[in-house]
Amino acid sequence: WGGWASAARYSPGAEGYGQPWADMHFMRLATHLGLESEVKEAWLGQLMHVSHHILIKPAHDGMRQEWAFPLFAYPDSAVLAWPAVEREVALPGSDVIVKYFVPSEEVRDIRGLFVICVNLGHWRARPFKWRSPRWQMGR
């Protein structure tokens, strides 16, 4: 029987726990968008990570056209991205309008949280600077 050392099992750890679901959504989206031949480029998703402080928006016709905060890129698979909402505020005492993004509170289906990147030309990106609630409230 060989004991525990020879057990044929997969133990992904906390970060990799969602890998099978990310893979499932990756293939579903790749098939839906006709991108099966580009699956070998799935490593590009690693560029979409929360640590890079970018907002992403699809430029591919078959994808939802809204900005999102990429949170976690599963290795060679889908990217978990939270939808962003653009807001505007007028600066007091001026005509200057400042636009900013916040995480959406209207997420209804986890399937919409996965995106895929197999071609950088399918995406637009813009940098952002995260501000803490304390900073936003006037320090």
Side-chain angles (χ1 to χ4, degrees):
W1 102 281
W4 289 105
S6 65
R9 61 187 179 132
Y10 174 64
S11 180
E15 282 191 349
Y17 184 73
Q19 184 79 45
W21 289 271
D23 291 346
M24 178 185 68
H25 287 291
F26 181 92
M27 290 310 299
R28 180 180 59 84
L29 286 167
T31 301
H32 172 74
L33 298 171
L35 300 173
E36 298 95 329
S37 65
E38 297 185 51
V39 168
K40 66 186 176 297
E41 303 298 337
W43 67 271
L44 288 169
Q46 297 300 306
L47 300 175
M48 296 181 172
H49 193 275
V50 68
S51 64
H52 297 150
H53 293 158
I54 58 171
L55 283 163
I56 56 172
K57 182 177 184 177
H60 191 282
D61 290 337
M63 296 175 154
R64 281 193 339 260
Q65 301 296 308
E66 59 188 36
W67 291 102
F69 295 97
L71 300 177
F72 185 77
Y74 287 93
D76 297 326
S77 192
V79 176
L80 184 62
W82 197 268
V85 177
E86 186 174 12
R87 299 215 174 125
E88 295 181 351
V89 64
L91 293 180
S94 75
D95 295 333
V96 176
I97 303 291
V98 175
K99 294 183 179 186
Y100 64 100
F101 291 88
V102 296
S104 174
E105 296 178 10
E106 301 295 323
V107 174
R108 301 192 192 290
D109 187 351
I110 193 171
R111 290 175 293 188
L113 298 181
F114 287 98
V115 298
I116 64 172
C117 181
V118 293
N119 182 325
L120 293 179
H122 294 170
W123 291 93
R124 291 192 279 162
R126 65 189 299 171
F128 73 87
K129 182 162 186 147
W130 189 261
R131 301 291 190 171
S132 71
R134 181 174 181 233
W135 184 93
Q136 294 176 46
M137 297 302 176
R139 289 164 253 174

